[in-house]
Amino acid sequence: MSLTLWNSRFSVTLVRQQATMFMSSSTKTIAANSLHYTFNNNFQPQQHQIQNQQQRRYSTTIMKPINTALPDKGARRTSQSGNRNPGKTLPQGRNSLESSTSDSGINVPPFNHPHCDRQAMYQQPVRKVKPLRGNYDYDLVVIGGGSGGLSCAKEAVAHGARVACLDFVKPTPIGTKWGVGGTCVNVGCIPKKLMHQASLLGEAVHEAAAYGWNVDDKIKPDWNKLVSSVQNHIKSVNWVTRVDLRDKKVEYINGLGSFVDPHTLSAKLKSGDRTITAQTFVIAVGGRPRYPNIPGAVEYGITSDDLFSLDREPGKTLVVGAGYIGLECAGFLKGLGYEPTVMVRSIVLRGFDQQMANLVAASMEERGIPFLRKTVPLSVEKQSDGRLLVKYENTETGEIDSDVFDTVLWAIGRKGLVEDLNLHNAGVLTHKDKIQVDCEETTNVPHIYAVGDIIYGKPELTPVAVLAGRLLARRLYADSDLRMDYADVATTVFTPLEYACVGLSEEDAVKTYGAEEIEVFHGYYKPTEFFIPQKSVRYCYVKAVAQRSGEQRVYGLHYLGPVAGEVIQGFAAALKSGLTIPTLMNTVGIHPTTAEEFTRLSITKRSGLDPTPASCCS
């Protein structure tokens, strides 16, 4: 038991992003008492003079000057990160402070995912908050016990703030609930990666025979044992997290919080309601899976919130949705011996590079996972034998068909958990069930912040939430000027053949700079470990999206193959540091690895040459 808990401390240690994410400062400064960045009711940036007032302990916002001019190296990076092609004018809003307008008519902040306007961001003063000890119950209350909220709470306590963290999980329609730690630990990244690993191990066992191992053909997975092992690990992480909060003096409150007024929360506890006041709030409630509005969806379907603790084998499973969650679940279910089918409404992996997305889908189809394309579900009915009859329609032909499944898994997107917060009582504006923030994670109410998946238009990734929360706490309580840089965030889709990327997709690069200003270097490759078991190498592929002329700055890197996340993490740091194609080509690769394929890129799409390698060592 002690060894398990010791290991759990490492399992909850989140990834430290070592990329250079912030610009260095130099000589020029701007007067801190001249500008105050805020939002009006339409969420447009405003500048106003700060009233001269006595600086006392109970003042709300104190400005601090920051340096905006950069030395030569930093200035070069600014021009490449903000407008990476100085000769090309970026679309309006990407390199200016003008806000854009959504379809609903609401103005949204100018700092849009995936590429934040870094130059504009760093020209704005950082707000500072002084703790109001004695006036409120807490200096900071974090609403949400997930990765972003916990990192913010623990960092704030480390710098002297009095902090409470509220956390509450509403059960799913079939009754699934979990402990502290949020989506990632309980029903997201961690259990997903463990089941993905279980799937890969099953595949490796069969490959072992080709390498000379005597393998019993009767080897098969045990779903209940797998679920039990995964849940035992998760519960140990929950326990370690609670202990860590106690040791760090963060008060953990297992209650559902909602605003009474801008500085007051009402928390619903098992023992009754509790009123809590704070000077500052951070909203980090994250999101939950959506259900379609069709008959039987809620009654008979499940989501990823339920899958990792499902008390029966999933069997023949219909996965509705072709985002990364749907594809990952379908992938490990297939690897564990079940029969998943993926239903695709429009495109696969929306928001990702579409050439890579289609390669991912093709590699899954090659493994025997069928895709129902241009199809939407109409209804789910439970039959007398307990199985589920699903009726669905092809949106192109209008043809209606049906099939019977053991499990229907909804993976059609996620919604932000704003409904229970009563944000209108605090004056906080929302947009499409998310909260809009500026470049400091501030809402339109100056003392209320938001981090993680709940904020509008930013990457919904655990490491993003963790770093954003930590940096926010440092700005509030540790005299820091560092802001979160949401640009060029690396990510991985853990499908059977993994896909990882960082930076711009090919489509976004062309849209931003124009097709004539983009050069795409690409190539297929053959992983050495695939040779003996004769695994398919048909879809092992890498590409670099780069500036065509000048220094050939790399805008995006894309990799499809084994251990994709491990491969792309180091390249992410290089890309954020100004990686160029000449630097990449002059880097000596580690042989034989798949990561070295990036250093071997020499063929461009524009050339029309065959990107398939003839040999592995020359």
Side-chain angles (χ1 to χ4, degrees):
M1 179 64 180
S2 60
L3 180 59
T4 301
L5 294 178
W6 183 85
N7 286 333
S8 298
R9 290 186 179 274
F10 288 91
S11 70
V12 296
T13 302
L14 300 169
V15 176
R16 296 177 182 271
Q17 294 191 5
Q18 298 179 3
T20 303
M21 306 190 67
F22 310 102
M23 301 182 186
S24 58
S25 59
S26 184
T27 55
K28 295 183 181 179
T29 61
I30 55 175
N33 60 351
S34 62
L35 298 177
H36 181 206
Y37 192 71
T38 186
F39 290 100
N40 64 9
N41 289 333
N42 290 325
F43 215 87
Q44 293 176 305
Q46 299 288 320
Q47 295 181 352
H48 64 82
Q49 297 293 329
I50 298 178
Q51 300 294 328
N52 292 325
Q53 56 182 337
Q54 180 183 4
Q55 292 189 1
R56 60 186 187 277
R57 198 170 195 177
Y58 306 114
S59 63
T60 57
T61 304
I62 297 177
M63 309 292 296
K64 180 185 175 184
I66 63 169
N67 297 327
T68 56
L70 305 170
D72 292 342
K73 183 176 179 181
R76 180 184 173 201
R77 185 181 166 208
T78 302
S79 64
Q80 294 167 346
S81 302
N83 183 354
R84 293 177 171 175
N85 187 348
K88 186 79 175 178
T89 302
L90 295 185
Q92 185 179 16
R94 283 183 58 90
N95 210 25
S96 71
L97 284 178
E98 297 182 30
S99 60
S100 58
T101 304
S102 68
D103 295 336
S104 61
I106 298 177
N107 289 325
V108 299
F111 308 106
N112 295 326
H113 171 63
H115 283 267
C116 182
D117 186 341
R118 297 173 180 172
Q119 185 175 9
M121 178 173 75
Y122 284 97
Q123 287 176 347
Q124 293 168 32
V126 175
R127 286 182 294 273
K128 298 296 175 181
V129 176
K130 291 293 184 180
L132 304 185
R133 298 190 183 280
N135 283 26
Y136 299 107
D137 297 332
Y138 301 95
D139 300 320
L140 172 67
V141 167
V142 176
I143 310 172
S147 302
L150 292 177
S151 70
C152 183
K154 291 188 285 188
E155 188 71 22
V157 163
H159 297 292
R162 299 170 301 156
V163 180
C165 179
L166 275 74
D167 184 54
F168 184 83
V169 177
K170 283 189 172 182
T172 69
I174 69 168
T176 307
K177 55 184 178 180
W178 51 89
V180 66
T183 296
C184 177
V185 166
N186 294 282
V187 291
C189 318
I190 301 304
K192 177 271 303 289
K193 184 67 179 293
L194 293 175
M195 289 199 169
H196 174 63
Q197 176 66 11
S199 171
L200 295 180
L201 287 174
E203 187 175 315
V205 167
H206 294 289
E207 293 170 6
Y211 278 99
W213 287 87
N214 294 319
V215 179
D216 188 346
D217 291 336
K218 296 181 180 180
I219 292 176
K220 63 178 183 178
D222 183 327
W223 174 262
N224 291 329
K225 185 175 181 179
L226 173 59
V227 167
S228 178
S229 297
V230 169
Q231 291 303 311
N232 286 340
H233 172 70
I234 290 172
K235 287 178 173 58
S236 71
V237 174
N238 297 150
W239 187 87
V240 169
T241 303
R242 290 287 298 271
V243 172
D244 191 39
L245 291 175
R246 183 192 64 193
D247 292 346
K248 288 182 166 60
K249 309 302 181 186
V250 176
E251 182 176 352
Y252 174 75
I253 302 173
N254 185 210
L256 182 63
S258 61
F259 280 96
V260 176
D261 62 48
H263 284 281
T264 308
L265 279 182
S266 175
K268 295 182 180 180
L269 313 177
K270 289 182 179 180
S271 57
D273 291 354
R274 175 182 170 185
T275 299
I276 300 170
T277 63
Q279 178 201 5
T280 304
F281 292 93
V282 172
I283 302 170
V285 293
R288 296 286 286 271
R290 296 181 183 275
Y291 289 80
N293 186 23
I294 62 172
V298 177
E299 296 89 339
Y300 307 123
I302 66 170
T303 69
S304 56
D305 282 356
D306 307 297
L307 180 60
F308 305 113
S309 58
L310 198 63
D311 59 2
R312 58 171 177 82
E313 290 189 294
K316 182 181 178 182
T317 302
L318 175 64
V319 179
V320 182
Y324 72 92
I325 295 174
L327 296 190
E328 289 175 338
C329 291
F332 70 67
L333 287 175
K334 180 66 177 179
L336 293 172
Y338 303 109
E339 302 174 61
T341 296
V342 179
M343 183 177 287
V344 188
R345 177 178 62 87
S346 53
I347 62 175
V348 174
L349 291 177
R350 181 180 301 278
F352 289 86
D353 185 285
Q354 281 303 291
Q355 180 196 9
M356 304 303 295
N358 290 327
L359 287 173
V360 170
S363 72
M364 294 179 68
E365 289 178 304
E366 184 184 54
R367 290 169 178 260
I369 302 175
F371 281 64
L372 297 173
R373 296 181 182 273
K374 304 296 182 182
T375 304
V376 295
L378 299 177
S379 66
V380 181
E381 301 174 19
K382 193 169 187 177
Q383 300 185 139
S384 58
D385 61 358
R387 304 190 75 197
L388 303 175
L389 174 65
V390 181
K391 294 180 181 179
Y392 48 85
E393 179 183 8
N394 185 295
T395 57
E396 288 188 334
T397 65
E399 180 181 357
I400 296 177
D401 205 344
S402 64
D403 200 352
V404 177
F405 299 89
D406 298 302
T407 302
V408 176
L409 175 69
W410 306 117
I412 59 173
R414 298 176 67 83
K415 63 177 181 178
L417 296 179
V418 297
E419 294 177 358
D420 295 317
L421 294 176
N422 287 334
L423 293 175
H424 59 277
N425 288 341
V428 176
L429 299 177
T430 61
H431 180 60
K432 296 182 178 180
D433 66 56
K434 296 294 180 75
I435 297 174
Q436 296 174 308
V437 298
D438 64 9
C439 61
E440 293 182 26
E441 289 77 46
T442 316
T443 69
N444 60 298
V445 179
H447 68 278
I448 300 179
Y449 301 80
V451 297
D453 292 3
I454 193 62
I455 64 178
Y456 178 78
K458 296 294 188 291
E460 297 183 11
L461 299 167
T462 293
V464 171
V466 170
L467 187 57
R470 185 177 298 130
L471 293 177
L472 172 58
R474 290 174 183 171
R475 290 197 305 274
L476 293 176
Y477 303 108
D479 204 37
S480 173
D481 290 335
L482 298 183
R483 297 176 173 97
M484 178 65 192
D485 186 351
Y486 290 96
D488 300 329
V489 175
T491 190
T492 297
V493 181
F494 289 97
T495 41
L497 192 64
E498 299 172 4
Y499 166 47
C501 60
V502 61
L504 291 175
S505 66
E506 185 175 343
E507 295 91 344
D508 285 342
V510 169
K511 181 179 178 181
T512 302
Y513 302 108
E516 292 303 314
E517 300 298 327
I518 296 298
E519 196 76 83
V520 178
F521 296 79
H522 69 145
Y524 290 91
Y525 66 96
K526 301 174 181 179
T528 303
E529 57 269 34
F530 283 22
F531 291 155
I532 290 180
Q534 298 183 3
K535 293 180 65 174
S536 172
V537 298
R538 183 177 180 183
Y539 299 105
C540 295
Y541 178 79
V542 295
K543 74 174 177 181
V545 181
Q547 184 182 21
R548 185 180 181 187
S549 58
E551 63 180 358
Q552 293 187 288
R553 170 83 181 248
V554 176
Y555 296 142
L557 293 171
H558 301 266
Y559 171 96
L560 183 57
V563 293
E566 311 299 336
V567 169
I568 211 69
Q569 181 67 82
F571 285 106
L575 187 142
K576 290 187 73 69
S577 299
L579 179 66
T580 65
I581 290 295
T583 299
L584 195 60
M585 290 183 175
N586 286 320
T587 299
V588 176
I590 302 172
H591 187 70
T593 65
T594 57
E596 72 171 319
E597 298 302 326
F598 277 117
T599 70
R600 294 160 58 94
L601 289 175
S602 60
I603 295 174
T604 67
K605 285 188 175 182
R606 186 176 273 105
S607 72
L609 298 176
D610 183 5
T612 305
S615 65
C616 69
C617 299
S618 63

